[in-house]
Amino acid sequence: MKVAVVGATGLVGTKMLQVLSERNFPVTELIPVASEKSVGKEVTYKGKQYKIVSVEDAIKQKPDIAIFSAGGSTSLEQAPKFAEVGTTVIDNSSAWRMDPTKKLVVPEVNANVLTPEDKIIANPNCSTIQMVVALKPLHDRYKIKRVVVSTYQSVTGTGVKAVDQLFNERKGIEGPKAYPYQIDLNVLPQIDVFTENGYTKEEMKMVKETNKIMGDDNIRVTATTVRIPVMGGHSESVNIEFEQDFDLAELRDILSKAPGVVVVDDVANLKYPMPLDAHDKDEVFVGRLRRDESQPNTLNAWIVSDNLRKGAATNAVQIAEYLVANHLVGQTVEA
């Protein structure tokens, strides 16, 4: 199993190598890929050093799987070249997510849509991934009508430059800025650029991706996404209106048995999910489960997950695991 990791030196790429190692993914040959300026440098994987190669060199080696975390423009340009040589690409950028010919996959929700013909598979947005993992089992039981979500997103979602900005500001050091404003002791109600309707791209991603992953365009979604000065993970306040009424004990039981979900909901003992506790874990943590007393059939929930792991690297590796387990990779597909 030849596996290429494209963007191997970035925050997410580094995490992908870590997750592949931790989960003992069956890599027989690792091909780390990064930008030209990193070619020839080395990354460590399972105690061994691997030289970074160019995209062109990686394509020549015809890997079985290429996991991309190198930005949208790189994915648009290079993913089809890998696909042409028979490689299955799992792409972490927004490039292919809303392409109607490409699958957008969260394994706990919709891995069953994958076939050997899917040579470019999109990994969803981090904030969407953690939300739909919790929504899916509830939708199956009670049918979701509407979701109102407000996010509290970690600076790690922006990248190394944002992490540096936060810590520089905390220490009173001048340095490069990832955001137009101070992030320490502040919150920024803008993630990505604004669109014509007044929402940001991140907010619209949550709307459109949720419908596509859940396979139901009737679910109405509205989002406000906010950057906050934390590490460790993204948090979400989610208000969910169902078509049917629910029993809170049954609902909690459904979530506690759902794949990838951990219920942390014991307010008597001040137990609820926090990004610090989610850091470096793969699960989606759900708590603060309570009825919305302002309208019927509606639940309030608090959802937290590590955005670099389940929100990016782990989800991509889980897609790869599903492909291997179901013999969907390494097969030549006739054009």
Side-chain angles (χ1 to χ4, degrees), residues 23-89:
R23 295 175 74 94
N24 278 316
F25 189 79
V27 178
T28 54
E29 196 177 328
L30 179 71
I31 308 168
V33 184
S35 61
E36 289 297 329
K37 68 176 186 289
S38 297
V39 169
K41 292 179 184 170
E42 293 187 335
V43 295
T44 305
Y45 178 74
K46 288 198 169 182
K48 284 178 66 178
Q49 299 297 109
Y50 291 84
K51 270 201 165 46
I52 292 169
V53 302
S54 67
V55 169
E56 291 71 26
D57 283 345
I59 292 167
K60 282 177 194 157
Q61 294 182 56
K62 297 187 176 179
D64 298 286
I65 292 173
I67 304 178
F68 269 66
S69 188
S73 55
T74 301
S75 296
L76 284 171
E77 186 184 341
Q78 305 296 351
K81 295 177 184 174
F82 276 94
E84 277 169 26
V85 299
T87 301
T88 301
V89 174

Side-chain angles (χ1 to χ4, degrees), residues 93-300:
S93 79
S94 60
W96 304 99
R97 289 178 188 154
M98 295 317 297
D99 183 326
T101 68
K102 305 291 182 284
K103 307 286 172 59
L104 184 66
V105 175
V106 176
E108 295 92 338
V109 178
N110 67 334
N112 61 312
V113 300
L114 291 170
T115 71
E117 286 73 32
D118 294 310
K119 290 299 179 190
I120 298 176
I121 300 161
N123 207 35
N125 179 271
C126 46
S127 43
T128 308
I129 289 174
Q130 67 187 68
M131 184 170 77
V132 297
V133 167
L135 291 185
K136 177 65 164 68
L138 301 181
H139 183 55
D140 288 347
R141 174 65 180 86
Y142 307 111
K143 199 151 178 59
I144 295 170
K145 283 174 69 174
R146 182 170 186 252
V147 176
V148 181
V149 54
S150 298
T151 72
Y152 306 71
Q153 294 181 224
S154 160
V155 292
T156 56
T158 308
V160 175
K161 192 176 175 184
V163 175
D164 291 345
Q165 179 180 339
L166 172 60
F167 284 104
N168 283 340
E169 287 170 354
R170 196 151 285 188
K171 294 171 189 163
I173 300 167
E174 278 299 315
K177 299 230 183 307
Y179 304 118
Y181 300 103
Q182 177 179 320
I183 184 64
D184 191 30
L185 300 174
N186 198 18
V187 299
L188 305 180
Q190 177 194 351
I191 299 179
D192 212 327
V193 296
F194 284 99
T195 60
E196 281 183 10
N197 64 359
Y199 287 78
T200 63
K201 264 187 161 176
E202 181 86 356
E203 289 159 353
M204 294 315 298
K205 283 175 194 172
M206 291 196 76
V207 174
K208 293 172 182 169
E209 291 180 24
T210 298
N211 289 140
K212 184 170 177 178
I213 298 161
M214 300 281 281
D216 190 341
D217 288 339
N218 293 320
I219 300 172
R220 292 172 296 153
V221 183
T222 187
T224 303
T225 59
V226 181
R227 190 71 69 190
I228 64 170
V230 301
M231 306 277 285
H234 292 346
S235 305
E236 299 172 346
S237 169
V238 189
N239 180 268
I240 310 155
E241 183 186 355
F242 300 106
E243 285 191 4
Q244 300 171 42
D245 198 8
F246 58 89
D247 174 77
L248 202 51
E250 181 195 46
L251 183 144
R252 190 177 271 110
D253 186 55
I254 287 168
L255 282 172
S256 66
K257 291 173 180 167
V261 173
V262 174
V263 175
V264 183
D265 190 32
D266 179 7
V267 291
N269 292 297
L270 309 187
K271 299 275 194 239
Y272 33 71
M274 295 181 291
L276 267 178
D277 300 325
H279 179 58
D280 234 10
K281 297 192 174 75
D282 288 330
E283 296 83 8
V284 172
F285 299 88
V286 183
R288 297 297 321 277
L289 294 164
R290 63 211 188 275
R291 265 183 196 281
D292 176 348
E293 295 186 346
S294 71
Q295 67 170 8
N297 306 352
T298 304
L299 176 80
N300 282 309

